[in-house]
Structures are given as C-alpha cells and as structure tokens.
Amino acid sequence: MNSHGQYEQQVVWTVVPTDIGPLLLAATGEGLVNVVFHATDEVRDKALDRLAGRLGTEPVEASGSPLLAEAIRQLEAYFAGERRDFDLPLDWSLISGFNRQVLRELASGVPFGAVVGYGDLAGRVGQPGAAQAVGVAMGSNPLPVIVPCHRVVERDGGIGGFGGGLETKRKLLALEGVLPEPLF
C-alpha cells in the first residue's frame, strides 16, 4: 500500500533475447502489459519511463518473476517453431476504445500462418471504412508478437508498415510460413 492507503500496481520487466532481437517484456498482476522491440539500453530506458508515466509506478527489473515466466516460456517455444498460439493473461490498460477493439479482434481472429488486410480487419469490427485507423491501432499495439500486428498487410499484397521494422515483420511472417525465408 502507498501512503494514501491504496494498493499500488507492481510492474515487473525483463529483456529476453529472441530471433528478432532483444524484446522487453513488462507485466502487471493482470498480465503481460507491454512488449518492446529492439530493447537496447536506450530503447529499454525510454520504454520503462513511458510505462512508469502511464501506469503510475516505477517498473522493477525481475527476470525471474512468475508474472513473466510463462510469457518467456511461450515466446521461446514460438521462436523455436514449437508454439503457434499464445495463451497468456494480458493487461489491456495501455490501450482503449477502437484500438483495443481492433487488437482484441486481431488476437482472437487471425491465427498463426494467416494474414488480414487493414480494411478487412476494420470491417470485422464494424467500421469498414476505417483501414487507416486500423493502421494507427497496429502502430500503437503495446503487445506486438503476442497480439500479432505483423499479420496485418496491405490489400494489394504489400507487406505494410511495422513498428518493429519491415525486416522484423518479414522474419515473423517467414517464421509463420506466410513468406519464404530470405536467401541471405
């Protein structure tokens, strides 16, 4: 409890090595709350500052935390080709409204090895003209990889944008068998 007699939310974090570079994982008692690509020291520090500001508590490094252990295990299995779906409690508190609605639909409705167009995803949430807004939702996804924004592509077959970089998106889509592995 804090000095006002309120329970403070604990936020724990760690950085894990993956095939697409280091990922910062952060969790609360509700579940995984944030995944951040390319978690170099500078990127990590900025992400942790943002989390502290958004959640009102200082994140604590805790690589052995039970709150993170299952997420780490499932990510390792995913990158090893042994897992296709994530079954983790998620804390959606960093996102709301239309963006949350779109990301929840993406998480539940676009399986491993499949892709969906921005406009198609907009239609699935009852906003068929909101393809650009879906793009904004993908860019604000606090849980990439787990909530698979890499599976959202352009209608004409283009790969689309990606907060983790296009090379990362290509690697994730190749891992899922959507794209061929690069030759070099």
Side-chain angles (χ1 to χ4, degrees):
M1 271 193 212
N2 65 18
S3 61
H4 302 292
Q6 298 169 320
Y7 285 99
E8 288 189 34
Q9 174 170 255
Q10 182 184 22
V11 180
V12 294
W13 66 273
T14 192
V15 174
V16 295
T18 72
D19 292 352
I20 57 170
L23 293 178
L24 177 132
L25 306 179
T28 67
E30 293 291 315
L32 193 64
V33 71
N34 204 198
V35 176
V36 178
F37 291 113
H38 314 298
T40 61
D41 291 349
E42 182 181 348
V43 169
R44 177 200 66 210
D45 291 346
K46 285 181 182 176
L48 293 172
D49 286 345
R50 270 194 317 275
L51 269 177
R54 296 279 311 274
L55 298 176
T57 187
E58 198 65 37
V60 176
E61 185 173 12
S63 60
S65 170
L67 296 174
L68 294 169
E70 185 60 17
I72 293 167
R73 189 185 71 70
Q74 288 188 30
L75 277 164
E76 287 172 347
Y78 171 80
F79 284 110
E82 300 164 357
R83 182 172 202 89
R84 297 168 66 99
D85 301 304
F86 294 100
D87 183 20
L88 297 167
L90 301 177
D91 179 337
W92 293 92
S93 64
L94 294 178
I95 197 143
S96 62
F98 177 79
N99 291 358
R100 183 187 289 192
Q101 183 183 11
V102 168
L103 291 171
R104 283 182 177 263
E105 173 59 31
L106 175 64
S108 64
V110 183
F112 182 98
V115 294
V116 65
Y118 293 92
D120 293 334
L121 190 53
R124 288 186 186 192
V125 297
Q127 301 290 329
Q132 284 185 316
V134 167
V136 171
M138 296 306 103
S140 64
N141 180 4
L143 296 161
V145 182
I146 307 299
V147 177
C149 52
H150 59 277
R151 296 179 188 156
V152 182
V153 297
E154 294 175 347
R155 175 182 55 199
D156 64 4
I159 194 168
F162 194 60
L166 293 182
E167 186 59 31
T168 300
K169 187 171 187 172
R170 284 186 191 95
K171 286 180 180 180
L172 291 167
L173 291 172
L175 173 72
E176 295 189 7
V178 175
L179 290 177
E181 288 285 346
L183 296 175
F184 46 85

